[in-house]
Amino acid sequence: MNQPLISVIVPIYMIDRYIGICIESIIHQTYENLEIILVDDGGKDRCPEICDLYSKKDKRIRVIHKPNGGLVSARKAGLWQSNGEYISYIDGDDWIAPGFIEALFEVADTSDADMVCAGFTRDLFSKSEHFINAFPSGIYEGEHLRNLWKSMISYGLYYRPGISTYVWNKLFKRETLINQQSHVDPRISIGEDGAVTYPVLLQCRRVAVADNVAYHYRQREDSMLKQSVGYAQEAQKLLYLYGYMMKWAEKIEPELGLIDQVTDYVLSIAMIRSGGRLPQNDFSIFGNVYYGKDVVVYSAGTFGQQLINRFRETKHCNLVAWLDDDYWEYRRCCLNVDPVETISKLSYDYILIATMDGILANLIIKRLLDLGVSRKKILTVTISENKEQLIKWFLDVDALKLAEAKRKRGMNSHA
């Protein structure tokens, strides 16, 4: 089989516990014609030393040492120095099974696809779970590709992407990727993968979707725990993402609906990062029927954690319990999470399902009903039809800062 050069770009920052496993998984790929570019983004741990050590062990490895500039900056630095016909990104705390790159290349080679979109495996401590794209596996071109573009960012029930946002479970033709990656705003630090993946998809004449899950995304303990930072800081970061992606979407033919898709994408991130409520107008995406009531929160991911943080700040309701199927993994992170089955022993007014994925929410509802929960007690995310107004509220940084300052003054006056 002809093996053109594939550049594997690995952005690295403060992950010396994991980087060795990542590099080992790349150098032992069954596809051997690799250029492995390790981008040390100014870390203060032992990553720079580890990278240099590996560059002496394998002639395919090159190391870029640069001042810290963030993930976008690191990926650009690696891409600009790459020579491969194809580009693969691997995050430095993840790892790939031995045949991952060869399998994606075979798909790209046989289909002449400009981009191959795979699934992935999430490794959470001792548990692994497979995820694939909403679009079924196959080759998309012509009218089928246009239909993919119409739902690639927002697919079906709010909110689920048609193609996963991540760049690390994909294989790109370099000529298709380089222009889009090079122009991404370096200030974007939330949703930066989507700012690359979707513009690149729109440049493709043929796309392959594969159900390959040989990429292993490591959900680290420190990434599971979400800091309770002021949402105004998050909103400022999201403004960079929203501005960049809207500028792109507005140039594209309206029939593809990219403006609405981008709005869905950024709005979903904003709702998750804010815990679903806004301090400046006392707005909650669950409505306010649960205020003053005894509530249970279902899900301990980012959304659930931020929702719990907002409860603690506002005292709007009494938290009875916090439930998740992976409860014991979260307990290892010192979060007070219980198994879902304990719902039958609890007394409560409402259960709040902390997910933005409408398809997943419906599955959770079915499970709760099977456990004897009344449908009247289950609250899911409610999205206003006026999403344009909603996103203005969620990204109004000045109003958010004023509201947070007011809340802090109130807390200090009662201290």
Side-chain angles (χ1 to χ4, degrees), residues 9 17 59 66 88-89 99 103 113 157 162 204 245 253 295 309 311 319 350 373 386 392:
I9 299 170
R17 286 181 58 191
K59 64 181 182 180
K66 61 181 288 297
S88 171
Y89 287 113
L157 290 176
C204 296
M245 293 199 71
E253 55 180 299
V295 303
N309 290 333
F311 287 171
L319 180 65
Y350 295 103
V373 175
N386 190 350
K392 286 181 180 178

Side-chain angles (χ1 to χ4, degrees), residues 284-291 293-299 303 307 311 317 348-356 361-362 364-365 368-369 373-382:
S284 171
I285 58 176
F286 292 100
N288 59 11
V289 66
Y290 67 89
Y291 287 9
K293 304 294 185 179
D294 294 334
V295 303
V296 173
V297 171
Y298 190 124
S299 181
F303 188 4
L307 182 59
F311 287 171
C317 62
Y348 54 90
D349 296 305
Y350 295 103
I351 301 175
L352 277 60
I353 300 178
T355 178
M356 300 303 303
N362 285 338
I364 293 173
I365 290 171
L368 291 173
L369 293 177
V373 175
S374 168
R375 181 64 182 87
K376 294 180 180 180
K377 291 189 173 186
I378 302 173
L379 298 181
T380 56
V381 171
T382 301

Side-chain angles (χ1 to χ4, degrees), residues 256-315:
L256 297 180
L258 291 176
I259 291 176
D260 289 340
Q261 289 192 67
V262 168
T263 300
D264 280 355
Y265 175 51
V266 179
L267 187 55
S268 69
I269 300 174
M271 290 177 177
I272 291 170
R273 296 288 184 132
S274 66
R277 69 175 307 278
L278 293 169
Q280 72 267 36
N281 57 6
D282 201 27
F283 170 85
S284 171
I285 58 176
F286 292 100
N288 59 11
V289 66
Y290 67 89
Y291 287 9
K293 304 294 185 179
D294 294 334
V295 303
V296 173
V297 171
Y298 190 124
S299 181
T302 302
F303 188 4
Q305 290 181 43
Q306 297 297 357
L307 182 59
I308 296 292
N309 290 333
R310 300 295 90 80
F311 287 171
R312 291 169 179 162
E313 291 172 358
T314 62
K315 316 279 190 212

Side-chain angles (χ1 to χ4, degrees), residues 14-212:
M14 302 294 284
I15 48 171
D16 55 9
R17 286 181 58 191
Y18 310 103
I19 187 58
I21 296 173
C22 176
I23 297 173
E24 287 287 335
S25 76
I26 299 171
I27 63 179
H28 289 104
Q29 286 293 297
T30 55
Y31 191 100
E32 296 182 349
N33 191 20
L34 301 177
E35 172 188 58
I36 304 168
I37 303 176
L38 308 179
V39 185
D40 161 38
D41 194 33
K44 303 302 181 183
D45 60 358
R46 299 188 66 185
C47 281
E49 182 181 350
I50 294 170
C51 291
D52 288 340
L53 173 64
Y54 269 100
S55 70
K56 297 174 184 177
K57 300 291 185 182
D58 193 315
K59 64 181 182 180
R60 298 175 298 173
I61 295 177
R62 287 193 289 124
V63 182
I64 299 173
H65 296 290
K66 61 181 288 297
N68 179 246
L71 186 56
V72 170
S73 171
R75 286 174 176 165
K76 285 183 179 182
L79 181 60
W80 289 336
Q81 293 200 27
S82 67
N83 300 292
E85 183 178 334
Y86 292 89
I87 304 293
S88 171
Y89 287 113
I90 310 293
D91 278 2
D93 49 356
D94 297 337
W95 62 281
I96 51 177
F100 176 70
I101 292 178
E102 183 173 10
L104 265 59
F105 170 71
E106 286 182 351
V107 173
D109 187 46
T110 56
S111 66
D112 193 25
D114 299 308
M115 181 176 175
V116 181
C117 306
F120 66 96
T121 297
R122 184 190 71 174
D123 294 336
L124 175 60
F125 294 116
S126 59
K127 180 179 178 180
S128 293
E129 186 175 2
H130 300 325
F131 296 86
I132 59 175
N133 293 289
F135 276 97
S137 62
I139 309 302
Y140 292 80
E141 59 182 325
E143 194 60 31
H144 292 297
L145 182 55
R146 280 186 61 82
N147 288 334
L148 182 146
W149 290 337
K150 292 176 182 178
S151 301
M152 62 182 178
I153 309 176
S154 184
Y155 181 95
L157 290 176
Y158 192 92
Y159 168 77
R160 172 176 289 199
I163 298 295
S164 66
T165 60
Y166 313 115
V167 298
W168 39 250
N169 61 342
K170 297 174 174 66
L171 184 67
F172 303 89
K173 276 191 176 177
R174 187 178 190 276
E175 62 192 33
T176 307
L177 170 69
I178 191 164
N179 184 59
Q180 300 301 330
Q181 177 73 81
S182 297
H183 287 91
V184 175
D185 186 339
R187 297 174 299 176
I188 298 174
S189 59
I190 298 177
E192 58 269 68
D193 281 29
V196 175
T197 293
Y198 300 122
V200 172
L201 274 167
L202 202 65
Q203 297 300 309
C204 296
R205 56 182 176 76
R206 187 176 293 116
V207 171
V209 177
D211 290 344
N212 185 309

